[in-house]
Amino acid sequence: MPLRAVETFEEWRESARELLAAGISPEEVTWAGPSQTLFTPESAHAGQSAGTQNFSVPPEFIERARTVACHLDVSRWELLYRMLWRLTHGERHLLKDSADDDVSRFQRMHKAVTRDVHKMKAFVRFRKVEVGSEERFIAWHRPDHRIVRLAAPFFARRFPAMEWTILTPAESVSWDQQELRYGPGVPASEAPEGDVLEDLWKTYYVSTFNPARIKMKTMKKEMPVRHWPTLPETALIPEMLEQAGQRVTAMINTREGFETTATSYFPERMTWKNVAEAAQHCKACHLHEHATQTVFGAGAKKPEIVIIGEQPGDREDLEGEPFVGPAGQLLDEALAGAKIDRASVYITNVVKHFKFTHKGKRRLHQKPNAREISACRPWLEAELEILKPSSIVLLGATAAQALLGRDFRITRQRGEMMKSEWCDRTIATWHPAAILRMPDQDRRRQMKDDLTLDLAAVR
């Protein structure tokens, strides 16, 4: 029986090709990591060598298998080869069968690794280390899986002008402003303990802490306690919680917050119908003064997918429905291209009133500011809380930054599947209106293709 010891996706892929070409079934192969073998693994099995025969499998399998390969469960190699075998032996559409045991395990592993990558992006904190006249930034992190190679490109894009190193127990990576270099794992005892930047970070963290929105259960779920030792801001949490009551009282007394957001107009019973009717009377910001009406969300009431844009446009303001103008028509085309029935999704906006300026008889769109977005945000949060979608698609930078944070960049992070406070599958993509405004025809077609692919990713 062939014994294959592999450590990376590339090694597994090479071995799998050889075994598949030689007709070796999954039951005839034993897979192991390098440290689990007592003897040198077998060389390629007799038969056709890699590259002499091509095997066609859905691109989605290769893309997801690369992620699943980072899971620490040693049985992942066996699972991947069994699925590869089935996909190439008469079960081409295997991935669509969610009830299948292999597919179910494959999806769970993919989800676990994706979540771990998200947490690494969120919880890595660099410390500045000075070596002579040079400075370097080093972070230590403890992921659940071997995800350094999946997450490292994100940090290279985000901190291209820094020289940094991320250490984990199993592997490490360094960036010299030109190239990523991977190395062995390093224990936490070898990581730096702190630097002057931590005081600045703590000050910023305190300034963004909203005592009126404390959700300890959610916070611990999103920021697992085991990561707290490497997060300098967590030392401040007990004191901030202790002072939260006093700060909320001060906010109310100074009319900061509650009386200037949509929460003042919430109904007693939070059903979709009640919330939608209450939003028609919202005066939380000045936008209601000139808009024709509130344009609340519309669509399926038990949707798998919720699509969120920026604000209603001219046609939407007049008709009272989201995405019925030119941008809505383009969105319909993209939905059709992604094989998604518009009637099966729910479509809404971050801001519910049309903001515009006059140019002659025309009403031209104006981007809502932070105050207007903040005032309207409770309506969107209420919609998501009631609908509980499995997937969220954010159209454009305003929607993405409203839900994912102000440092989100649509040009860099478009199409990246992330976990948000409201669901595990949140993706941001181009706003149809931005596509329509693109003067370059080739670029416009590319952006529309991107939008269609991103919608298909959450189908």
Side-chain angles (χ1 to χ4, degrees), residues 403-434:
L403 266 71
L404 300 175
R406 299 186 67 175
D407 63 342
F408 184 92
R409 293 293 178 268
I410 192 77
T411 51
R412 290 202 305 250
Q413 295 166 271
R414 182 207 62 76
E416 184 178 335
M417 192 67 73
M418 288 171 281
K419 182 179 179 181
S420 67
E421 181 178 347
W422 293 273
C423 77
D424 291 346
R425 292 163 54 81
T426 300
I427 193 171
T429 187
W430 307 119
H431 194 291

CSV table of all heavy atoms in Angstrom, one decimal, residues 403-434:
chain,number,residue,atom,x,y,z
A,403,LEU,N,-20.1,48.2,7.7
A,403,LEU,CA,-20.2,47.0,8.4
A,403,LEU,C,-18.9,46.3,8.8
A,403,LEU,O,-18.8,45.6,9.7
A,403,LEU,CB,-21.0,46.0,7.5
A,403,LEU,CG,-22.6,45.9,7.9
A,403,LEU,CD1,-23.2,47.2,7.4
A,403,LEU,CD2,-23.2,44.7,7.3
A,404,LEU,N,-17.9,46.6,8.0
A,404,LEU,CA,-16.6,45.9,8.2
A,404,LEU,C,-15.5,46.8,8.8
A,404,LEU,O,-14.4,46.3,9.1
A,404,LEU,CB,-16.1,45.3,6.9
A,404,LEU,CG,-17.0,44.3,6.3
A,404,LEU,CD1,-16.5,43.9,4.9
A,404,LEU,CD2,-17.2,43.1,7.1
A,405,GLY,N,-15.8,48.1,9.0
A,405,GLY,CA,-14.8,49.0,9.6
A,405,GLY,C,-14.3,50.0,8.6
A,405,GLY,O,-14.2,49.7,7.4
A,406,ARG,N,-13.8,51.1,9.1
A,406,ARG,CA,-13.5,52.2,8.2
A,406,ARG,C,-12.1,52.0,7.5
A,406,ARG,O,-11.8,52.7,6.5
A,406,ARG,CB,-13.4,53.5,9.0
A,406,ARG,CG,-14.8,53.9,9.6
A,406,ARG,CD,-14.8,55.2,10.2
A,406,ARG,NE,-14.6,56.3,9.2
A,406,ARG,CZ,-14.7,57.6,9.5
A,406,ARG,NH1,-14.9,57.9,10.8
A,406,ARG,NH2,-14.6,58.5,8.6
A,407,ASP,N,-11.3,51.0,7.9
A,407,ASP,CA,-10.1,50.8,7.2
A,407,ASP,C,-10.3,49.8,6.0
A,407,ASP,O,-9.3,49.4,5.4
A,407,ASP,CB,-9.0,50.2,8.1
A,407,ASP,CG,-9.4,48.9,8.8
A,407,ASP,OD1,-10.6,48.6,8.7
A,407,ASP,OD2,-8.5,48.2,9.3
A,408,PHE,N,-11.5,49.4,5.8
A,408,PHE,CA,-11.7,48.5,4.7
A,408,PHE,C,-11.5,49.2,3.4
A,408,PHE,O,-12.0,50.4,3.2
A,408,PHE,CB,-13.2,47.9,4.7
A,408,PHE,CG,-13.4,46.9,3.6
A,408,PHE,CD1,-13.2,45.6,3.9
A,408,PHE,CD2,-13.9,47.3,2.4
A,408,PHE,CE1,-13.5,44.6,2.9
A,408,PHE,CE2,-14.1,46.4,1.4
A,408,PHE,CZ,-13.9,45.0,1.6
A,409,ARG,N,-10.8,48.6,2.4
A,409,ARG,CA,-10.6,49.2,1.1
A,409,ARG,C,-11.1,48.3,0.0
A,409,ARG,O,-10.7,47.2,-0.2
A,409,ARG,CB,-9.1,49.4,0.9
A,409,ARG,CG,-8.5,50.5,1.9
A,409,ARG,CD,-9.1,51.9,1.6
A,409,ARG,NE,-8.6,52.9,2.5
A,409,ARG,CZ,-9.2,53.2,3.6
A,409,ARG,NH1,-10.3,52.6,3.9
A,409,ARG,NH2,-8.7,54.1,4.4
A,410,ILE,N,-12.1,48.8,-0.7
A,410,ILE,CA,-12.8,48.0,-1.7
A,410,ILE,C,-11.8,47.6,-2.9
A,410,ILE,O,-11.9,46.5,-3.4
A,410,ILE,CB,-14.0,48.7,-2.3
A,410,ILE,CG1,-14.9,47.8,-3.1
A,410,ILE,CG2,-13.6,49.9,-3.1
A,410,ILE,CD1,-15.8,46.9,-2.3
A,411,THR,N,-10.9,48.4,-3.1
A,411,THR,CA,-9.9,48.1,-4.2
A,411,THR,C,-9.0,47.0,-3.9
A,411,THR,O,-8.4,46.4,-4.7
A,411,THR,CB,-9.1,49.4,-4.6
A,411,THR,OG1,-8.5,49.9,-3.4
A,411,THR,CG2,-10.0,50.4,-5.2
A,412,ARG,N,-8.7,46.8,-2.6
A,412,ARG,CA,-7.8,45.7,-2.1
A,412,ARG,C,-8.5,44.5,-1.7
A,412,ARG,O,-8.0,43.4,-1.8
A,412,ARG,CB,-6.9,46.2,-1.0
A,412,ARG,CG,-5.9,47.3,-1.4
A,412,ARG,CD,-4.8,47.3,-0.4
A,412,ARG,NE,-5.2,47.5,0.9
A,412,ARG,CZ,-5.0,48.6,1.6
A,412,ARG,NH1,-4.3,49.6,1.1
A,412,ARG,NH2,-5.4,48.7,2.9
A,413,GLN,N,-9.7,44.6,-1.1
A,413,GLN,CA,-10.3,43.5,-0.4
A,413,GLN,C,-11.6,43.0,-1.1
A,413,GLN,O,-12.3,42.2,-0.5
A,413,GLN,CB,-10.6,43.9,1.1
A,413,GLN,CG,-9.3,44.1,1.9
A,413,GLN,CD,-9.6,44.8,3.2
A,413,GLN,OE1,-9.6,46.0,3.3
A,413,GLN,NE2,-9.8,44.0,4.2
A,414,ARG,N,-11.9,43.6,-2.3
A,414,ARG,CA,-13.1,43.1,-3.0
A,414,ARG,C,-13.0,41.6,-3.3
A,414,ARG,O,-12.0,41.1,-3.6
A,414,ARG,CB,-13.2,43.9,-4.3
A,414,ARG,CG,-14.4,43.5,-5.1
A,414,ARG,CD,-14.2,43.7,-6.6
A,414,ARG,NE,-13.1,42.9,-7.1
A,414,ARG,CZ,-13.2,41.5,-7.3
A,414,ARG,NH1,-14.4,40.9,-7.1
A,414,ARG,NH2,-12.2,40.9,-7.8
A,415,GLY,N,-14.1,41.0,-3.0
A,415,GLY,CA,-14.2,39.5,-3.3
A,415,GLY,C,-13.6,38.6,-2.3
A,415,GLY,O,-13.7,37.4,-2.4
A,416,GLU,N,-13.2,39.2,-1.2
A,416,GLU,CA,-12.6,38.4,-0.1
A,416,GLU,C,-13.8,38.0,0.9
A,416,GLU,O,-14.4,38.8,1.4
A,416,GLU,CB,-11.6,39.2,0.7
A,416,GLU,CG,-10.9,38.4,1.8
A,416,GLU,CD,-9.8,39.3,2.5
A,416,GLU,OE1,-9.3,40.2,1.8
A,416,GLU,OE2,-9.5,39.0,3.6
A,417,MET,N,-13.9,36.7,1.1
A,417,MET,CA,-15.0,36.2,1.9
A,417,MET,C,-14.6,36.4,3.4
A,417,MET,O,-13.5,35.9,3.8
A,417,MET,CB,-15.3,34.7,1.7
A,417,MET,CG,-16.6,34.2,2.3
A,417,MET,SD,-18.1,35.0,1.6
A,417,MET,CE,-18.1,34.1,0.0
A,418,MET,N,-15.4,37.1,4.2
A,418,MET,CA,-15.1,37.4,5.5
A,418,MET,C,-16.2,37.0,6.5
A,418,MET,O,-17.4,36.9,6.0
A,418,MET,CB,-14.7,38.9,5.7
A,418,MET,CG,-13.4,39.2,5.1
A,418,MET,SD,-13.2,41.0,5.0
A,418,MET,CE,-14.2,41.4,3.6
A,419,LYS,N,-15.9,37.0,7.7
A,419,LYS,CA,-16.9,36.8,8.8
A,419,LYS,C,-17.2,38.1,9.4
A,419,LYS,O,-16.3,38.9,9.8
A,419,LYS,CB,-16.5,35.8,9.8
A,419,LYS,CG,-17.5,35.5,10.9
A,419,LYS,CD,-17.0,34.5,11.9
A,419,LYS,CE,-18.0,34.2,13.0
A,419,LYS,NZ,-17.5,33.3,14.0
A,420,SER,N,-18.5,38.4,9.5
A,420,SER,CA,-18.9,39.7,10.1
A,420,SER,C,-19.7,39.4,11.4
A,420,SER,O,-20.0,38.2,11.7
A,420,SER,CB,-19.7,40.6,9.2
A,420,SER,OG,-21.0,39.9,8.9
A,421,GLU,N,-20.2,40.5,12.0
A,421,GLU,CA,-21.0,40.3,13.3
A,421,GLU,C,-22.3,39.6,13.0
A,421,GLU,O,-22.9,39.0,13.8
A,421,GLU,CB,-21.2,41.7,13.9
A,421,GLU,CG,-22.0,41.6,15.2
A,421,GLU,CD,-22.2,43.0,15.8
A,421,GLU,OE1,-21.5,43.9,15.4
A,421,GLU,OE2,-23.0,43.1,16.7
A,422,TRP,N,-22.8,39.7,11.7
A,422,TRP,CA,-24.1,39.2,11.4
A,422,TRP,C,-24.1,37.9,10.7
A,422,TRP,O,-25.2,37.2,10.7
A,422,TRP,CB,-24.8,40.3,10.5
A,422,TRP,CG,-25.1,41.5,11.3
A,422,TRP,CD1,-26.2,41.7,12.2
A,422,TRP,CD2,-24.2,42.6,11.5
A,422,TRP,NE1,-26.0,42.9,12.8
A,422,TRP,CE2,-24.9,43.5,12.4
A,422,TRP,CE3,-23.0,43.0,10.9
A,422,TRP,CZ2,-24.3,44.7,12.7
A,422,TRP,CZ3,-22.5,44.2,11.2
A,422,TRP,CH2,-23.1,45.1,12.1
A,423,CYS,N,-23.1,37.5,10.0
A,423,CYS,CA,-23.0,36.1,9.4
A,423,CYS,C,-21.6,35.7,9.1
A,423,CYS,O,-20.7,36.6,9.1
A,423,CYS,CB,-23.9,36.1,8.2
A,423,CYS,SG,-23.2,36.8,6.7
A,424,ASP,N,-21.4,34.4,8.8
A,424,ASP,CA,-20.1,33.9,8.5
A,424,ASP,C,-19.6,34.2,7.1
A,424,ASP,O,-18.4,34.0,6.8
A,424,ASP,CB,-20.0,32.4,8.8
A,424,ASP,CG,-20.2,32.1,10.2
A,424,ASP,OD1,-20.0,33.0,11.1
A,424,ASP,OD2,-20.5,30.9,10.6
A,425,ARG,N,-20.5,34.6,6.2
A,425,ARG,CA,-20.2,34.7,4.8
A,425,ARG,C,-20.5,36.2,4.4
A,425,ARG,O,-21.7,36.4,4.0
A,425,ARG,CB,-20.9,33.7,3.9
A,425,ARG,CG,-20.4,32.3,4.2
A,425,ARG,CD,-21.3,31.3,3.6
A,425,ARG,NE,-21.7,31.5,2.2
A,425,ARG,CZ,-20.9,31.1,1.2
A,425,ARG,NH1,-19.8,30.5,1.5
A,425,ARG,NH2,-21.3,31.3,0.0
A,426,THR,N,-19.6,37.1,4.5
A,426,THR,CA,-19.8,38.5,4.1
A,426,THR,C,-18.8,38.8,3.1
A,426,THR,O,-17.6,38.6,3.3
A,426,THR,CB,-19.7,39.4,5.3
A,426,THR,OG1,-20.7,39.0,6.3
A,426,THR,CG2,-19.9,40.8,4.9
A,427,ILE,N,-19.2,39.4,2.0
A,427,ILE,CA,-18.3,39.7,0.9
A,427,ILE,C,-18.6,41.1,0.3
A,427,ILE,O,-19.8,41.5,0.3
A,427,ILE,CB,-18.4,38.7,-0.3
A,427,ILE,CG1,-17.3,38.8,-1.3
A,427,ILE,CG2,-19.8,38.7,-0.9
A,427,ILE,CD1,-17.2,37.6,-2.2
A,428,ALA,N,-17.6,41.9,0.0
A,428,ALA,CA,-17.8,43.2,-0.6
A,428,ALA,C,-17.4,43.2,-2.0
A,428,ALA,O,-16.5,42.6,-2.4
A,428,ALA,CB,-17.0,44.2,0.2
A,429,THR,N,-18.2,44.0,-2.8
A,429,THR,CA,-17.9,44.0,-4.3
A,429,THR,C,-18.2,45.4,-4.8
A,429,THR,O,-18.6,46.3,-4.1
A,429,THR,CB,-18.7,42.9,-5.0
A,429,THR,OG1,-18.2,42.9,-6.4
A,429,THR,CG2,-20.2,43.2,-4.9
A,430,TRP,N,-18.1,45.6,-6.1
A,430,TRP,CA,-18.3,46.9,-6.7
A,430,TRP,C,-19.8,47.3,-6.6
A,430,TRP,O,-20.7,46.4,-6.7
A,430,TRP,CB,-18.0,46.9,-8.2
A,430,TRP,CG,-16.6,46.5,-8.5
A,430,TRP,CD1,-16.2,45.4,-9.3
A,430,TRP,CD2,-15.3,47.1,-8.1
A,430,TRP,NE1,-14.9,45.3,-9.4
A,430,TRP,CE2,-14.3,46.3,-8.7
A,430,TRP,CE3,-15.0,48.2,-7.3
A,430,TRP,CZ2,-12.9,46.6,-8.5
A,430,TRP,CZ3,-13.7,48.5,-7.1
A,430,TRP,CH2,-12.7,47.7,-7.7
A,431,HIS,N,-20.1,48.6,-6.4
A,431,HIS,CA,-21.5,49.0,-6.5
A,431,HIS,C,-21.9,49.2,-8.0
A,431,HIS,O,-21.0,49.7,-8.8
A,431,HIS,CB,-21.6,50.4,-5.8
A,431,HIS,CG,-23.0,50.8,-5.5
A,431,HIS,ND1,-23.9,51.1,-6.5
A,431,HIS,CD2,-23.7,50.9,-4.3
A,431,HIS,CE1,-25.1,51.4,-5.9
A,431,HIS,NE2,-25.0,51.2,-4.6
A,432,PRO,N,-23.0,48.7,-8.4
A,432,PRO,CA,-23.4,48.9,-9.8
A,432,PRO,C,-23.3,50.3,-10.3
A,432,PRO,O,-23.0,50.5,-11.4
A,432,PRO,CB,-24.9,48.4,-9.8
A,432,PRO,CG,-25.0,47.4,-8.6
A,432,PRO,CD,-24.0,48.0,-7.6
A,433,ALA,N,-23.6,51.3,-9.4
A,433,ALA,CA,-23.5,52.7,-9.9
A,433,ALA,C,-22.1,53.1,-10.2
A,433,ALA,O,-21.8,53.8,-11.2
A,433,ALA,CB,-24.1,53.6,-8.8
A,434,ALA,N,-21.1,52.5,-9.5
A,434,ALA,CA,-19.7,52.8,-9.8
A,434,ALA,C,-19.3,52.2,-11.1
A,434,ALA,O,-18.5,52.7,-11.9
A,434,ALA,CB,-18.8,52.2,-8.7
